[in-house]
Amino acid sequence: MNDNGTRPVCMTIAGVDPSGGAGVLADIKTFSRHGCFGTGAITSLTFQNTTGVFGAASQSAETVYEQIKAVAEDMKIGAVKTGMLPTRDVIETVANCVAEFRLQNLVVDPVVRSTSGFDLIDDAALAALVEKLFPIAVVVTPNLAEAERIVGSKIASVDEMHTAGRKMLGLGAKAVLIKGGHSIEAVPEKAVDRLYLADEVREVEAEFIAGEPVHGTGCALSAAIAANLAHGKDLFAAIEDAKAFVTGAIRNAVMVGQGNRPVNV
Ligand code: PXL
């Protein structure tokens, strides 16, 4: 195996958004920006652009396994992030690969549905994601909508955010970063995410940037956290630096198509 030195290898296991705002294409750019060498195993090809998601063609568990195996047998992978994992079979395969290839620093972004309302995962897959991947992840990074779907109740206040965070720890997660706190604040001057750990809650703040939603922020955040972990940062520093990176990428977002602006990583 090669020693990757100061340019660690990161892997994204996720779907492809051919318009580049989210998924594998965007994750690779984020890894690059963080001085990492990006690799990617594709779980699904989505058909989308900045105006919406029109469909998706999932990979089989076998093709996902063969992609991960090929890279993991060759390179020393410093961190892994998962994004869109469309089926129970694919999720079980990813969990098995983490054990078989001793993959480190797993960041699980529980992608459930696109901003435009397209379901990227079914209910059976979501249950498998919680059961198989939550316990082996360093951190899971749901946004408010994803957290609501996982715990099965609405989050309309900071107290309800706390309840959801603790419930997800109870479901086996070691650390849960719930994003999007700004949408439950009366006056969102700051974008506050909250990190739930077994014995504490920590806030991760950034300036709130008003405007139309920007596509791909969740992918960029989880990829940046993975890259920072691969560089040896501790979890909180990895999250804080990733949040600052995404804030910059939101500020720099440009209109490249006719719909939502993608995050500019
Ligand atoms: O942002 C969630 C997401 C993740 N991965 C892929 C996507 C989307 C949303 O559209 O298409 C491939």
Side-chain angles (χ1 to χ4, degrees), residues 24-72:
V24 171
L25 301 181
D27 290 341
I28 300 286
K29 291 187 272 186
T30 296
F31 291 153
S32 251
R33 287 267 184 232
H34 284 78
C36 292
F37 185 85
T39 67
I42 291 163
T43 58
S44 180
L45 298 175
T46 72
F47 316 128
Q48 66 177 297
N49 58 27
T50 63
T51 70
V53 184
F54 314 118
S58 295
Q59 287 290 307
S60 67
E62 289 72 28
T63 61
V64 172
Y65 176 78
E66 292 301 333
Q67 293 174 80
I68 298 170
K69 176 173 186 271
V71 178

Side-chain angles (χ1 to χ4, degrees), residues 157-179:
S157 66
V158 174
D159 275 351
E160 286 171 356
M161 193 171 176
H162 293 334
T163 304
R166 290 192 197 105
K167 265 195 194 164
M168 283 184 275
L169 292 174
L171 291 170
K174 293 196 274 280
V176 179
L177 180 69
I178 306 187
K179 304 166 299 186

Side-chain angles (χ1 to χ4, degrees), residues 15-17 22-23 46 48 53 84 111 114 120 215 219:
V16 171
D17 161 5
T46 72
Q48 66 177 297
V53 184
M84 176 184 178
V111 170
S114 74
L120 299 164
H215 170 62
C219 295

Side-chain angles (χ1 to χ4, degrees), residues 145-208:
E146 288 157 351
E148 286 181 339
R149 176 123 174 240
I150 292 163
V151 303
S153 53
K154 281 265 157 222
I155 304 173
S157 66
V158 174
D159 275 351
E160 286 171 356
M161 193 171 176
H162 293 334
T163 304
R166 290 192 197 105
K167 265 195 194 164
M168 283 184 275
L169 292 174
L171 291 170
K174 293 196 274 280
V176 179
L177 180 69
I178 306 187
K179 304 166 299 186
H182 57 270
S183 54
I184 51 174
E185 303 290 344
V187 186
E189 281 156 7
K190 296 221 178 290
V192 183
D193 299 340
R194 290 189 175 85
L195 177 66
Y196 296 89
L197 300 163
D199 47 10
E200 63 176 332
V201 185
R202 298 187 68 172
E203 295 195 342
V204 191
E205 273 189 22
E207 180 198 344
F208 176 69

Side-chain angles (χ1 to χ4, degrees), residues 245-256:
F245 170 79
V246 173
T247 301
I250 294 172
R251 194 176 285 119
N252 292 335
V254 283
M255 200 71 149
V256 286

